């Protein structure tokens, strides 16, 4: 089922102030500039629902969007772009980790990865942190329009070869382009399937 309606609910930096209630929730997370907000806009077929920018660090808060009147999509700030001291560079912003630890409504997170890049230490660390925290996640490759279709499969294979150093088995993955609006349908279908299992 496609996304028929998407509306902004609220932004805040405090997980305890996020929407109450039991609607299932799905969060997009990943390095700054990977395309989290753009992908949300593409999925929702709206240009300016989530704020985007060519400069990293655009999304600063936890943003809730109500989808099809029955689930939430959450746009989070990126990690790994630290306008902070070097010693803090590897530290994920505190309210990101608090969000994942405390948000009971979260069903699954999507960790976004720029398909052009080799596995980055901060993404591998974040995945391990999610594993330790027992938070289910899947991988969404972004910006697929930036490489030739022929190289997509080998890029993904190379990526998972490295991840095999950390994981015995892999999550599902999706290949998307917000720019070209490709790979969107499988992602929404997966969420809708999960929603059905919750009813
Ligand atoms: P932060 O909020 O800063 O963490 O970034 P973000 O992950 O939300 O990224 P955002 O959606 O703001 O996009 C960052 C830049 O990447 C923007 O210039 C987008 O236009 C560009 N971008 C996002 N998705 C795509 C894509 O699928 N293809 C291409 N070519 N560019 C993209
Ligand atoms: Mg953003």
């Amino acid at each position: 089922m496609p996304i028929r309606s998407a509306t902004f609910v609220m932004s805040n930096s405090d997980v305890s102030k996020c929407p109450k209630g039991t609607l299932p929730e799905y969060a997009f997370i990943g390095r700054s500039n990977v395309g989290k907000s753009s992908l949300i806009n593409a999925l929702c077929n709206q240009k300016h629902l989530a704020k985007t920018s060519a400069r990293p660090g655009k999304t600063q808060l936890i943003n809730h969007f109500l989808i099809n009147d029955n689930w939430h999509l959450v746009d989070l700030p990126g990690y790994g772009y630290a306008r902070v001291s070097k010693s803090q560079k590897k530290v994920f912003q505190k309210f990101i980790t608090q969000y994942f630890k405390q948000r009971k409504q979260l069903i699954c997170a999507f960790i976004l990865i720029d398909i052009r890049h080799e596995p980055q230490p901060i993404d591998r660390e974040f995945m391990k942190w999610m594993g330790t925290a027992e938070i289910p996640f899947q991988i969404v490759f972004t910006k697929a329009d930036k490489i030739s279709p022929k190289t997509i499969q080998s890029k993904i294979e190379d990526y998972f070869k490295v991840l095999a150093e950390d994981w015995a088995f892999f999550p599902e993955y999706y290949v998307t382009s917000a720019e070209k609006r490709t790979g969107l349908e499988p992602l929404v279908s997966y969420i809708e399937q999960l929603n059905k299992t919750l009813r």
Side-chain angles (χ1 to χ4, degrees), residues 36-37 51 58-59 75-76:
K36 299 173 293 295
S37 304
K51 288 182 188 150
K58 180 69 180 173
T59 308
D75 191 16
L76 293 168

Side-chain angles (χ1 to χ4, degrees), residues 6-21 25 40 49-51 59-67 71-77 95 99 103 105:
T7 50
F8 171 74
V9 181
M10 62 159 78
S11 295
N12 66 78
S13 61
D14 183 347
V15 63
S16 70
K17 294 188 182 136
C18 286
K20 309 274 182 274
E25 183 160 315
I40 287 177
L49 185 64
K51 288 182 188 150
T59 308
Q60 299 271 340
L61 297 166
I62 303 168
N63 300 285
H64 277 77
F65 301 98
L66 177 65
I67 309 296
W71 51 279
H72 283 132
L73 198 49
V74 179
D75 191 16
L76 293 168
F95 72 81
Y99 168 84
R103 193 68 180 152
Q105 293 89 335

Side-chain angles (χ1 to χ4, degrees), residues 22-149:
T22 56
L23 289 184
E25 183 160 315
Y26 301 85
F28 282 11
I29 184 69
R31 295 204 306 153
S32 263
N33 210 241
V34 69
K36 299 173 293 295
S37 304
S38 300
L39 188 58
I40 287 177
N41 288 339
L43 288 165
C44 297
N45 206 10
Q46 294 188 34
K47 284 211 167 77
H48 306 291
L49 185 64
K51 288 182 188 150
T52 66
S53 169
R55 287 179 56 214
K58 180 69 180 173
T59 308
Q60 299 271 340
L61 297 166
I62 303 168
N63 300 285
H64 277 77
F65 301 98
L66 177 65
I67 309 296
N68 292 349
D69 291 322
N70 72 353
W71 51 279
H72 283 132
L73 198 49
V74 179
D75 191 16
L76 293 168
Y79 53 72
Y81 172 72
R83 273 179 290 194
V84 292
S85 68
K86 269 190 190 145
S87 62
Q88 278 192 299
K89 228 177 173 174
K90 286 277 168 68
V91 178
F92 311 117
Q93 286 96 316
K94 201 168 176 197
F95 72 81
I96 295 179
T97 51
Q98 278 173 344
Y99 168 84
F100 284 109
K101 277 188 190 158
Q102 293 176 27
R103 193 68 180 152
K104 299 269 181 288
Q105 293 89 335
L106 182 76
I107 305 299
C108 181
F110 295 94
I111 300 181
L112 275 59
I113 302 289
D114 187 324
I115 198 160
R116 295 171 295 174
H117 300 158
E118 312 299 314
Q120 304 288 308
I122 196 151
D123 291 319
R124 292 174 68 181
E125 273 180 45
F126 189 75
M127 287 178 207
K128 285 187 208 165
W129 183 87
M130 293 285 271
T132 309
E134 298 184 347
I135 298 160
F137 68 85
Q138 305 221 313
I139 291 179
V140 178
F141 293 102
T142 63
K143 307 194 185 184
D145 58 283
K146 295 242 191 197
I147 62 172
S148 82

